[in-house]
Amino acid sequence: MLTLTAKGVLAARSKIDPVFLASPIEHPAALSRELDLDLLLKDETANPIGSFKGRGAGVLVRSYPPGTRFVCGSAGNFGQAMAWAARVHGCSLTVFAAETAVPCKVDAMRALGATVQLSGHDFDDAKDAARRHAEETGAVYIEDGARAEIAEGTGTLAVELTEAEARIDVVFVPLGNGALAAGIGCWMKATHPGARIVAVAATGAPNMGRAVLGEGFDPLASPRTIADGIAVRVPIDSAVEAVRRVVDEVVLVDEADIVRAVRMLEAALGHRVEPAGAVGFAGLLGQAARWRGARVAIPVCGRNRLDHLTQE
């Protein structure tokens, strides 16, 4: 069972590299007017690795002694976060990524000092290879989404949101392995219990969303989405339960919705967001009329893929 607490989220803040804290909260006036609501964008791309993952990875790595050998599977962003934290803390890291992984993410993990091995067709194949490597070498295997430290570290972005904004009516959160939704939901339900938490998954990678809803899914069906960062094929049971405890709704968005969200966010923020990082906003676009007049918060989660608009 994955147990998160608001106290744990608060404690995590002191364990995170300051470069990942205090990310900007943008108030895009044009988008707010267009959607007829008050939109808050928590821009987690404004740090050295370009994603929110540095928060949780930092908390996790600091719970081990220097010199620890870590291994993980990653589509790219978590691997970069682990590489950053391992380097700062004097640890080593081997990352397994799919043979189909986005090249710029693979290059970034290596540039941060990780040993990267490509294995399997998708993210879950790579995780299986990482587990085997850990068993064979004695390295510590880390699975993003399966550790409370990672989710609580991620939840610190919600702490920053609520410190800046007294009222938040709804948060739209991208749903991948579950750490982001569980961490944000844990904090929001403890401090703003009236706020709705909407988890957003891609139609082309629906398994985590279906698992949270208690619906059947095919663990052998390969994800088909440009949002590679949330392309989960095999949900983690403990993460599913953690998300289910704090999320009020799950919605799925198709590829056209995601591309539209990327383009609108680029116009509003002045920089490109990767598809998985824009999925929360894509979820809002399908429900904007429902939330007319509300204060809507969305984490903008990553900027580490630059080829996505060529794949419509």
Side-chain angles (χ1 to χ4, degrees):
M1 183 175 179
L2 197 64
T3 302
L4 280 66
T5 66
K7 182 178 180 180
V9 173
L10 272 180
R13 186 153 57 169
S14 65
K15 304 172 186 177
I16 297 171
D17 189 322
V19 299
F20 299 112
L21 297 173
S23 55
I25 300 174
E26 304 291 347
H27 299 73
L31 283 181
S32 291
R33 287 193 299 270
E34 180 177 349
L35 300 175
D36 196 16
L37 46 78
D38 186 4
L39 181 62
L40 311 173
L41 299 176
K42 183 68 164 153
D43 191 357
E44 288 292 299
T45 72
N47 63 57
I49 65 168
S51 85
F52 73 96
K53 298 282 189 177
R55 294 176 183 259
V59 176
L60 185 283
V61 169
R62 283 195 59 179
S63 69
Y64 289 85
T68 299
R69 293 179 296 117
F70 293 106
V71 60
C72 68
S74 176
N77 288 353
F78 183 65
Q80 290 177 63
M82 284 292 294
W84 180 283
R87 185 176 65 180
V88 169
H89 199 51
C91 300
S92 64
L93 173 70
T94 299
V95 181
F96 283 78
E99 294 168 357
T100 55
V102 177
C104 68
K105 292 187 177 184
V106 173
D107 292 343
M109 289 187 285
R110 288 176 172 149
L112 287 167
T115 297
V116 181
Q117 298 189 31
L118 303 183
S119 179
H121 179 70
D122 63 18
F123 167 60
D124 288 288
D125 285 343
K127 288 204 302 184
D128 289 341
R131 289 189 192 94
R132 292 193 296 270
H133 180 82
E135 292 170 358
E136 293 166 359
T137 64
V140 176
Y141 173 65
I142 302 298
E143 185 171 21
D144 189 14
R147 296 289 296 265
E149 300 99 317
I150 296 173
E152 288 177 338
T154 297
T156 60
L157 73 88
V159 177
E160 294 171 6
L161 266 172
T162 56
E163 287 177 342
E165 304 291 340
R167 172 191 152 212
I168 297 175
D169 298 312
V170 59
V171 185
F172 283 79
V173 187
L175 180 62
N177 58 55
L180 182 63
I184 289 176
C186 171
W187 180 257
M188 294 302 299
K189 290 304 180 184
T191 63
H192 290 62
R196 300 282 290 181
I197 308 297
V198 181
V200 187
T203 301
N207 285 3
M208 184 63 174
R210 288 176 176 167
V212 171
L213 292 171
E215 300 175 353
F217 61 88
D218 182 0
L220 300 179
S222 296
R224 301 182 65 86
T225 177
I226 57 172
D228 61 297
I230 60 168
V232 172
R233 176 167 55 82
V234 183
I236 302 166
D237 289 343
S238 59
V240 170
E241 291 302 320
V243 172
R244 189 179 287 153
R245 287 194 294 270
V246 296
V247 162
D248 298 294
E249 303 174 38
V250 176
V251 299
L252 301 180
V253 291
D254 62 25
E255 301 300 281
D257 295 329
I258 297 171
V259 171
R260 181 186 173 209
V262 168
R263 287 177 167 156
M264 292 177 72
L265 288 175
E266 182 174 11
L269 297 175
H271 63 80
R272 182 165 292 181
V273 178
E274 67 178 281
V279 161
F281 184 61
L284 170 63
L285 292 178
Q287 296 193 3
R290 173 186 174 190
W291 296 103
R292 185 173 293 117
R295 177 165 289 176
V296 181
I298 302 175
V300 178
C301 303
R303 57 165 168 79
N304 291 309
R305 179 173 184 174
L306 302 178
D307 62 338
H308 44 79
L309 292 187
T310 67
Q311 299 191 28
E312 297 175 61

